[in-house]
Amino acid sequence: MLTSLPAFSSLKKEYQSLKKTNMRELFARDKQRAEKFSIEYKDLFFDYSKNIITGTTLKTLIKLANESGLNPAIKAMFSGEKINTTEKRAVLHTALRNRSGRPVYVDGKDVMPEVKEVLKKMKAFSDAVRKDKTITDIVNIGIGGSDLGPKMVTEALHHYAAPNLRTHFVSNVDGTDITEVLKGIKPESTLFIISSKTFTTQETLTNATTARNWLVKALGEKAVAKHFVAISTNAEKVKEFGINPDNMFVFWDWVGGRYSLWSAIGLSIAIAIGFDKFSELLDGAFAMDEHFKSAPFAENIPVIMGLLSVWYYDFWGARVNAVLPYDEYLRKLPAYLQQLQMESNGKSVDKQGNRIRYATGAVLFGESGTNGQHSFYQLIHQGTQMIPCDFIAPAISLNETGDHHSILLANFLAQPEALMMGKSKAEVLAEGTPKDLVNQKVFTGNRPSNTILVDKMTPFNLGMILAMYEHKIFVEGVLWNIDSFDQWGVELGKQLAKKILPELQGDVKGRVKGKHDSSTSNLIARINKIRKKGLK
Ligand code: F6P
């Protein structure tokens, strides 16, 4: 158990001694601090010097990683062991971007030939769609991992997208989502991509059925073959839905939904930016995989990131972290990372089935800079809780326009500095602040952050950043001894929604047949009453 490891006790002491130290002092004491606590890998520069750590903290955190078996855990993941123990599955999103030529085995079978086969099919298909001038709109219908990844990446790499193609994403079962998309497109020039690992997800099948009916109404049943493709692990369900398995792109149960953008689920990305650029995205992720696999822990970016999380959540009591990209193209990154981090590590039972008594998985939120500065940064600077932040920016903008990027970068640098330095009472007084306002204007500082700088937002660099977060989350999961690759916590709500649905569809007299708590029963009755009146 994490808390009974020797390094855990050492870190408790380390926390007690650092509790009263301010990062300002740490910087003043050591002129080499920035250099010491930063790592450069290809075009990515990771500065973690603005964290409440010393060399001893880092060494002890690495000791904790070793005592937790991080090294064998990394090897186990990359070599296809069934580390998703509750679902008895291998975890091999890394195989999808394996450019090494090395085989990867699952149950004694090399999966690389199949991976390459699907990539080949994706290339042929995306090339053909990009050449086919009759198709102007691509609509990806999927939810969770079958939506967030491709949606975020197509936006992040929009700069590289074909100008004659528009990409849309429909995820919500709220009819507004599909209605608004259908309003702006024409059946004859639209390609629907139905993305669902299981092909049983209620939201996706509901949206896909609505889209299918809309297309068939305009162009007839035969048009489905040309205008619909599916991406799934479930050929039977795809066929049942009415999509010819020839128009299907497969992936495998060893790819987790939230780790699937590298698989055929990335088809909308490949169509939007072209297969070559999609390949560069995979190259970047592979580069980060190699770094994660081989760099010593003290020089390993995802390892350090994961260890810092454990440091703040399990010793300092932090419960939330923020991801703050200073790049408008990355504005959907926080939403994507929310699923990646919170669905992966929001667990309170360990791998052996025991209830956990230490903090796991943090709440993640974020917004692009500088927008967030004018919204929630107040709480990060002066609130009562510690919120470790990741600041991310490209040094060169894809849209260099006047002074815009220098202004953006000035803010990107100012925020972590302000969080770390703060402003003391003496400094506030020296500014001539009236006495009754002094406390309001004090910034305690000593608030931790990482700064992640890339040269430019290329597909390769984005691939590195995304794989970096995947592995950071993996590191946390190993130290917390949880299965980061299952998601049992999403099931109960789905079950109850299925039970409630007929009570909303059938009996609109206000009576509730199902057994519920009184609050839910009242709400069902009230909704039925309103709808009965309003839908007449
Ligand atoms: O409900 C959660 C979830 O299972 C996610 O893990 C997954 O990404 C999403 O639903 C969509 O699942 P599918 O790709 O099977 O439709």
Side-chain angles (χ1 to χ4, degrees):
M1 207 205 324
L2 178 73
T3 46
S4 49
L5 296 173
F8 194 90
S9 310
S10 312
L11 283 164
K12 266 170 127 176
K13 288 189 200 124
E14 181 71 6
Y15 164 70
Q16 288 303 334
S17 84
L18 272 180
K19 214 166 64 171
K20 292 185 197 90
T21 315
N22 194 295
M23 273 190 276
R24 268 196 195 200
E25 289 163 46
L26 298 175
F27 269 94
R29 236 189 270 159
D30 182 1
K31 298 285 167 240
Q32 308 299 315
R33 185 173 170 85
E35 224 167 277
K36 231 183 245 173
F37 295 123
S38 55
I39 303 169
E40 188 177 0
Y41 181 62
K42 299 197 184 279
D43 273 359
L44 194 151
F45 186 72
F46 174 65
D47 178 340
Y48 63 103
S49 59
K50 295 190 188 81
N51 281 288
I52 315 172
I53 54 166
T54 63
T56 311
T57 324
L58 190 64
K59 273 194 201 121
T60 323
L61 282 167
I62 290 172
K63 208 166 153 242
L64 188 71
N66 287 324
E67 289 172 3
S68 305
L70 181 57
N71 238 325
I74 295 173
K75 286 202 180 87
M77 173 169 73
F78 279 94
S79 61
E81 275 180 43
K82 301 206 168 160
I83 60 164
N84 176 356
T85 45
T86 70
E87 295 180 321
K88 298 188 177 52
R89 287 176 184 165
V91 174
L92 277 176
H93 42 282
T94 52
L96 303 167
R97 59 224 189 187
N98 169 23
R99 321 303 249 188
S100 68
R102 294 185 293 260
V104 179
Y105 294 101
V106 177
D107 293 328
K109 183 182 162 209
D110 180 12
V111 298
M112 288 316 298
E114 275 182 83
V115 169
K116 286 183 191 151
E117 199 49 47
V118 174
L119 284 172
K120 220 167 114 191
K121 191 169 166 185
M122 285 171 72
K123 177 176 166 37
F125 187 78
S126 53
D127 284 353
V129 174
R130 285 164 66 85
K131 272 197 205 116
D132 178 353
K133 298 293 174 230
T134 63
I135 297 293
T136 56
D137 292 87
I138 312 292
V139 182
N140 184 82
I141 298 183
I143 197 164
S146 301
D147 165 71
L148 291 163
K151 184 158 67 185
M152 178 271 297
V153 173
T154 40
E155 181 157 327
L157 299 178
H158 181 70
H159 176 81
Y160 304 92
N164 55 326
L165 272 172
R166 294 183 300 165
T167 323
H168 314 263
F169 291 86
V170 173
S171 55
N172 202 334
V173 75
D174 181 342
T176 300
D177 204 1
I178 186 124
T179 305
E180 285 299 331
V181 169
L182 294 181
K183 266 187 204 167
I185 57 178
K186 293 198 181 87
E188 59 277 13
S189 53
T190 299
L191 172 72
F192 289 98
I193 303 177
I194 314 301
S195 301
S196 175
K197 181 175 168 180
T198 55
F199 231 78
T200 56
T201 305
Q202 188 185 40
E203 293 90 331
T204 301
L205 293 187
T206 308
N207 278 321
T209 305
T210 302
R212 197 180 191 285
N213 292 343
W214 175 82
L215 185 103
V216 168
K217 197 172 165 207
L219 304 178
E221 192 67 37
K222 270 199 182 146
V224 174
K226 185 182 171 207
H227 293 268
F228 272 77
V229 294
I231 303 165
S232 186
T233 58
N234 194 340
E236 216 170 280
K237 290 275 173 202
V238 168
K239 208 169 153 198
E240 220 174 87
F241 178 79
I243 297 178
N244 187 333
D246 290 348
N247 293 334
M248 175 181 167
F249 295 79
V250 297
F251 64 116
W252 308 271
D253 74 353
W254 42 263
V255 182
R258 52 194 174 273
Y259 298 85
S260 65
L261 74 87
W262 322 100
S263 72
I265 290 289
L267 186 64
S268 52
I269 307 172
I271 296 174
I273 63 172
F275 191 81
D276 288 350
K277 290 272 177 278
F278 179 70
S279 295
E280 288 170 23
L281 179 82
L282 302 189
D283 292 343
F286 172 66
M288 186 51 72
D289 293 343
E290 292 290 279
H291 167 78
F292 179 53
K293 233 167 49 172
S294 58
F297 287 171
E299 294 153 37
N300 193 315
I301 301 168
V303 169
I304 304 274
M305 287 179 93
L307 292 178
L308 287 169
S309 300
V310 173
W311 177 231
Y312 292 123
Y313 307 142
D314 295 297
F315 297 90
W316 292 78
R319 293 289 174 267
V320 180
N321 77 299
V323 174
L324 308 163
Y326 279 63
D327 182 346
E328 199 51 25
Y329 283 125
L330 292 187
R331 73 176 159 197
K332 295 215 168 84
L333 182 67
Y336 164 78
L337 291 177
Q338 256 168 20
Q339 185 198 14
L340 198 64
Q341 176 166 306
M342 291 161 76
E343 204 173 66
S344 297
N345 285 347
K347 316 280 163 71
S348 49
V349 170
D350 71 14
K351 280 193 149 193
Q352 290 70 38
N354 308 306
R355 203 140 274 288
I356 290 171
R357 292 207 205 95
Y358 43 86
T360 67
V363 172
L364 187 149
F365 79 111
E367 173 65 87
S368 61
T370 61
N371 292 353
Q373 290 177 204
H374 300 272
S375 158
F376 52 77
Y377 277 38
Q378 164 66 38
L379 189 147
I380 302 180
H381 282 287
Q382 284 191 319
T384 50
Q385 52 184 311
M386 170 198 266
I387 301 185
C389 299
D390 289 348
F391 290 90
I392 308 172
I396 298 169
S397 169
L398 292 170
N399 298 297
E400 289 286 342
T401 317
D403 276 348
H404 285 250
H405 205 60
S406 303
I407 296 171
L408 182 76
L409 290 177
N411 280 280
F412 161 73
L413 296 172
Q415 292 298 326
E417 187 175 32
L419 287 169
M420 186 275 282
M421 292 289 282
K423 199 192 268 184
S424 69
K425 207 164 185 171
E427 285 164 336
V428 176
L429 277 168
E431 285 175 347
T433 309
K435 267 209 171 116
D436 59 337
L437 264 185
V438 170
N439 285 346
Q440 314 288 347
K441 293 200 159 192
V442 165
F443 289 75
T444 54
N446 208 33
R447 294 175 186 241
S449 66
N450 296 318
T451 307
I452 297 150
L453 183 73
V454 289
D455 292 8
K456 213 168 149 180
M457 200 46 69
T458 58
F460 187 94
N461 288 342
L462 181 66
M464 283 208 292
I465 291 174
L466 301 181
M468 172 187 84
Y469 275 106
E470 287 179 344
H471 296 322
K472 171 223 164 187
I473 289 163
F474 175 79
V475 171
E476 294 172 355
V478 171
L479 269 83
W480 289 327
N481 187 28
I482 54 181
D483 186 340
S484 298
F485 302 100
D486 61 14
Q487 57 283 318
W488 301 105
V490 301
E491 295 305 325
L492 180 58
K494 289 186 195 171
Q495 276 172 15
L496 291 182
K498 276 202 185 121
K499 188 175 146 203
I500 292 172
L501 181 60
E503 297 170 48
L504 293 174
Q505 283 172 327
D507 182 4
V508 285
K509 288 192 192 110
R511 276 186 286 114
V512 179
K513 286 184 192 144
K515 219 171 180 302
H516 301 283
D517 61 89
S518 60
S519 160
T520 309
S521 296
N522 275 349
L523 288 164
I524 293 173
R526 192 175 173 83
I527 288 172
N528 279 343
K529 212 166 133 193
I530 298 170
R531 286 175 62 80
K532 191 185 167 199
K533 227 166 113 189
L535 294 179
K536 258 190 206 150

